[in-house]
Each structure stands twice: as C-alpha cells, then as structure tokens.
Amino acid sequence: MFEEIKQTAAWIREQTSGFQPEAGIILGTGLGDFAEQIDARFSLDYKQIPGFPVSTVEGHKGRMIFGLLEGRRVVAMQGRFHFYEGYSMQQVTFPVRVMQQLGIRVLFVSNASGGINTSFRVGDLMVITDHINLMPNPLIGPNLAELGPRFPDMHNCYDKGLIARATAIAEQEGIKLQYGVYVGGTGPTFETQVEYRYFKAIGGDAAGMSTVPEVIVARHMSIPVFGVSVITNCGLSDEIGDHEDVQLQGKKAGVKMQLLFRRMIKEL
C-alpha cells in the first residue's frame, strides 16, 4: 500500500509540475462550489489518478483542484469517497495518504450532516470538536509504520488551536458557530429516529456518513485537522431524509463555510 501511495503522489507531482500544497481541503455534499474560489493551476479528475476510486454520489464532482487560495498553495477534493459506495476503508482514505505525501501540513474537512442537538437549526455551521466512530476503523490491518504508529492517540483529534482561530474569525465576521460531536455511521440509509435518539444519548450532536475515516488517517500521520459540519436537516424532527434537499441546504450554508475556510487558510 505504501508503495502505491508513493507512486500515485509521484504521478500527481509530474502532472502538476511539482506543485506542493500546504493545506488539503475535503469538500462534502453540496459544498463543492468552494473549489471555484481557488485560483486553479491544475485540475485532475479522479478517474485519471492511479489508485483513486471514482465518486459515485450526486453532488460530488470527483476532481482534485490544485491552486492558490488567499496566497496559500492548496489542494481541494471536490467530493470524497464513502464506505457505503462499496469501497474499502483503505480506498476511502487513500487520497488523504496521498495528500500527505504531496506535502500538506493541515487538513480541512467538511460535510453535510443531520442535526441531533435540539438547539441546532438547518443551515447552522457546527465546528467538530470530537467524533464517535460507528464505522470500521481504517487502520485495521497491517500498520504503515512509515506514516504513523500502530496505536495512534486520538486526543485533540480536531485541533484546539484551529478551533480557537475559527472562533475568533467567526466573531470578527459575524458568523454564528455551533460546536459539537460528529457521529460517523456507514449509511447509505438516513438514520431512524430511534437511532438519532441513541446518538444523542451517547453524546452526539450531528450525524453523517463520512469524515471520521479521513480524520483518523490524518491523525495517524500527525496532520492537524479542522472540521465543519453543515446542518442540512434535523434528525429528531418528522422530516423525511432527502438527498436533493441536503445538497440544496449545503450550498446555502456553504457561503459561510467558504468565508471561514478562506480566512483560516490565509492565517496559516
């Protein structure tokens, strides 16, 4: 696996004239428009990239964008891979491994999620302070010792310094932030109301079908992570889960997330 990671990173360097990103950004459902803010120098479709799966989910464009954002070199994933698409956890997290080999020093992750905390409203931005993993752990199997330890610590999984910076920026920009714990499940079904109540009972504030595997792998490699969930529906209400509406709400709230991410990247 490590050789495949290195080979893919080498192929990307060749295609991007050795472009070395400082920050990686993973854009979730309905949030891909953020990539339009980047002064793009190179764009690679996932289907071109050796070893990459292909995103099969509507709202995930399936491209890596390399360019400048607020004067910083970044790589953004327009769409991610999910366990429910039938990919292994190693495939789901392969791009994070590759981005580390390309040089990223910090990872920004975003997702659309269902609100569990009853004080949350549709369109809120929730800064992820911790997570609960209900998926297979992506580190199961032989350890890639070249990248990290066999038993990585998950304390401070979401970097407290980056959270403090986001809080200060949000106050300056007048952006309301919520804070909470993200529950990562396999999907692809939206959760039942009893499942949402269970998630609430074990300490969850929002639930989704992504993000956690990528964060675990990033922390295995000692990459600081900042994460945001866009609350696109309220799981404890009588609303019917609808992917089209999730995309719509994600795009609306994505404007606030774009401003937050831009400021944070500028101040790296």
Side-chain angles (χ1 to χ4, degrees):
M1 173 68 82
F2 186 51
E3 286 304 313
E4 187 178 3
I5 292 166
K6 290 197 298 182
Q7 289 168 11
T8 298
W11 183 89
I12 291 174
R13 283 192 208 97
E14 186 176 335
Q15 302 301 310
T16 60
S17 301
F19 188 93
Q20 184 173 338
E22 303 168 75
I25 307 166
I26 300 178
L27 300 167
T29 300
L31 300 169
D33 289 349
F34 178 74
E36 307 304 324
Q37 304 288 317
I38 298 171
D39 178 10
R41 303 300 169 88
F42 305 95
S43 174
L44 300 174
D45 290 342
Y46 292 161
K47 61 186 177 183
Q48 296 176 261
I49 304 173
F52 264 50
V54 176
S55 183
T56 65
V57 183
E58 187 177 348
H60 291 247
K61 293 184 179 179
R63 292 184 299 185
M64 286 188 99
I65 308 295
F66 297 80
L68 298 178
L69 184 66
E70 299 293 343
R72 300 289 188 179
R73 298 183 307 276
V74 301
V75 54
M77 291 181 62
Q78 273 189 300
R80 53 157 53 92
F81 310 114
H82 305 81
F83 187 60
Y84 65 71
E85 293 176 83
Y87 295 125
S88 71
M89 278 299 184
Q90 286 69 36
Q91 289 175 301
V92 168
T93 56
F94 187 78
V96 180
R97 300 289 198 192
V98 170
M99 287 194 285
Q100 185 266 355
Q101 289 290 297
L102 292 173
I104 69 166
R105 296 183 288 106
V106 62
L107 180 66
F108 293 84
V109 295
S110 65
N111 59 58
S113 65
I116 299 169
N117 190 314
T118 53
S119 70
F120 291 178
R121 297 292 177 266
V122 170
D124 280 353
L125 297 185
M126 184 192 85
V127 173
I128 306 175
T129 57
D130 210 334
H131 69 232
I132 298 170
N133 183 28
L134 300 181
M135 302 186 227
N137 193 299
L139 302 183
I140 292 173
N143 183 51
L144 296 177
E146 301 91 343
L147 298 176
R150 171 75 279 187
F151 302 106
D153 183 67
M154 288 290 131
H155 278 76
N156 197 26
C157 207
Y158 299 85
D159 190 85
K160 289 183 173 61
L162 292 174
I163 292 173
R165 186 179 301 170
T167 300
I169 291 170
E171 289 175 356
Q172 294 166 13
E173 299 288 352
I175 300 171
K176 178 185 176 183
L177 294 180
Q178 305 282 12
Y179 300 84
V181 176
Y182 178 83
V183 181
T186 64
T189 52
F190 289 104
E191 294 77 10
T192 69
Q193 288 202 311
V194 172
E195 287 170 334
Y196 269 118
R197 291 201 294 272
Y198 166 65
F199 293 167
K200 182 179 181 181
I202 63 174
D205 294 289
M209 308 170 192
S210 66
T211 303
V212 173
E214 299 150 341
V215 173
I216 290 173
V217 165
R219 294 304 302 137
H220 178 242
M221 299 183 294
S222 299
I223 298 172
V225 176
F226 177 75
V228 169
S229 292
V230 175
I231 306 301
T232 53
N233 63 290
C234 294
L236 291 171
S237 73
D238 290 326
E239 297 174 359
I240 302 299
D242 181 274
H243 184 68
E244 185 175 343
D245 191 53
V246 167
Q247 292 183 76
L248 176 62
Q249 297 300 333
K251 286 186 176 182
K252 286 181 179 178
V255 176
K256 294 181 290 183
M257 189 202 75
Q258 288 176 26
L259 177 57
L260 183 64
F261 275 20
R262 286 184 71 111
R263 283 284 311 274
M264 292 188 71
I265 288 170
K266 182 179 181 179
E267 296 178 15
L268 280 178

